[in-house]
Amino acid sequence: MANACSAGIDTGFAALDFGQMVVLGLVQGVSELLPISSTAHMRVVPAVLGWPDPGSAFSALMQLAALAAVVTYFRHDVREIASGSWLALRRRETGGPQFRLAVGIVLATIPIVVAGVLLAPLLNACGSPLRSLWVIGVSSIVMALLLALAEWLARHDRSVEQARLRDFLLVGLAQVGALIPGVSRSGSTLTAALGLGFKRTEAARLSFLIGLPAIALAGLKEAVELARAGIDARAVALLLVGLVAGSLASFAAVWGLMRFLERMSSWPFVLYRGCMGILLLLGVAAGWLH
């Protein structure tokens, strides 16, 4: 079994059994793509159940499960953007909507890549203070308030095809907040997109498309680092089980969220996040959670 800290990487997941990994894979898969923070749930669920913290490496690698789900669900968008951009470059006609979308997604990815590289030693360190339940509780409450504000003030009248480069940059800057546990990548980008006036389903679509490069880079980077850390065969098997469970749960989450936002607002997520943050802070203050 790998140590909880292998080559400076938080590998607490190696202390779990396969049943626990299935449960956490499902939780991670659902919470990764809903605006409720997967990192928060990866700290809270094990803490409540008395299980070891699976660690930041597990959370980062499980983004590959979310990547598979988002690419599968939005395969038409992904195919159109990729093929349209390639044709635009070949024909030197870069004024089309697909090429503009591709440029916007790249632009939106730059801030989180830069911030992620600069903060990597702190974010992925064993026992990182950013993974404390205090930080997660406060982040959850702050994001609940921001999402409520965006939902309250939003016009809900724009589509992804109407997005300008400024919109992509602003949503990309909001995505940087996801580096703080408890903020949620989908939550921060959805909040920003709603605040910019996009329809709820279009805000979610924009959030997922913008997140694809960041999710892929984070997951692949963690896979390489874990390979270099030399984790054993059992730890690899645990991760594979988690990835399978996470992929299925992630697809169900993105499908459910898009259907939900077609009919309802994001207020239930505001309520959920606010209550979770308050309960976390109360639990830590009372000594129930550590």
Side-chain angles (χ1 to χ4, degrees):
M1 179 181 293
N3 296 325
C5 188
S6 300
I9 301 172
D10 188 352
T11 55
F13 65 86
L16 299 169
D17 61 38
F18 287 96
Q20 292 169 330
M21 183 59 78
V22 169
V23 172
L24 294 184
L26 293 173
V27 172
Q28 169 78 23
V30 170
S31 58
E32 180 68 42
L33 296 181
L34 296 183
I36 56 176
S37 177
S38 59
T39 306
H41 287 76
M42 283 300 97
R43 280 288 285 114
V44 173
V45 172
V48 170
L49 296 176
W51 298 351
D53 180 357
S56 57
F58 171 79
S59 296
L61 186 68
M62 286 300 110
Q63 293 190 65
L64 293 178
L67 176 67
V70 173
V71 170
T72 300
Y73 186 88
F74 290 101
R75 57 191 178 278
H76 175 74
D77 284 305
V78 173
R79 184 171 58 249
E80 287 293 311
I81 293 171
S83 61
S85 300
W86 174 246
L87 285 175
L89 288 172
R90 285 185 60 187
R91 296 172 180 173
R92 298 183 182 179
E93 299 173 352
T94 55
Q98 299 305 326
F99 186 79
R100 188 174 70 250
L101 272 174
V103 172
I105 291 170
V106 171
L107 180 65
T109 304
I110 293 173
I112 196 169
V113 169
V114 174
V117 169
L118 294 176
L119 296 176
L122 175 62
L123 294 170
N124 296 329
C126 298
S128 171
L130 286 181
R131 286 180 64 83
S132 73
L133 293 179
W134 276 109
V135 171
I136 293 171
V138 171
S139 298
S140 296
I141 293 171
V142 169
M143 287 308 301
L145 294 173
L146 290 176
L147 183 56
L149 186 63
E151 184 65 62
W152 185 36
L153 298 176
R155 301 193 309 272
H156 306 303
D157 61 2
R158 300 178 66 196
S159 68
V160 170
E161 284 68 28
Q162 295 173 315
R164 300 185 293 270
L165 291 182
R166 185 196 68 172
D167 298 315
F168 283 101
L169 180 59
L170 290 174
V171 176
L173 289 171
Q175 188 173 221
V176 174
L179 296 174
I180 302 172
V183 168
S184 166
R185 193 211 61 79
S186 59
S188 60
T189 52
L190 179 67
T191 299
L194 286 173
L196 291 169
F198 289 90
K199 301 172 187 175
R200 294 185 182 94
T201 53
E202 292 294 287
R205 182 178 161 221
L206 182 64
S207 167
F208 287 131
L209 291 176
I210 282 178
L212 282 175
I215 292 171
L217 289 171
L220 292 172
K221 173 180 175 291
E222 203 61 46
V224 170
E225 291 188 354
L226 284 169
R228 288 175 178 170
I231 60 175
D232 59 28
R234 181 182 180 278
V236 172
L238 282 168
L239 289 174
L240 291 175
V241 168
L243 281 169
V244 171
S247 297
L248 296 173
S250 290
F251 186 84
V254 66
W255 182 88
L257 179 64
M258 297 303 289
R259 296 297 179 278
F260 181 85
L261 292 177
E262 286 175 0
R263 300 172 178 83
M264 299 183 68
S265 71
S266 60
W267 283 106
F269 297 113
V270 171
L271 222 83
Y272 180 85
R273 300 210 63 182
C275 291
M276 181 176 71
I278 292 169
L279 289 174
L280 275 178
L281 294 181
L282 289 175
V284 173
W288 308 327
L289 298 171
H290 304 282

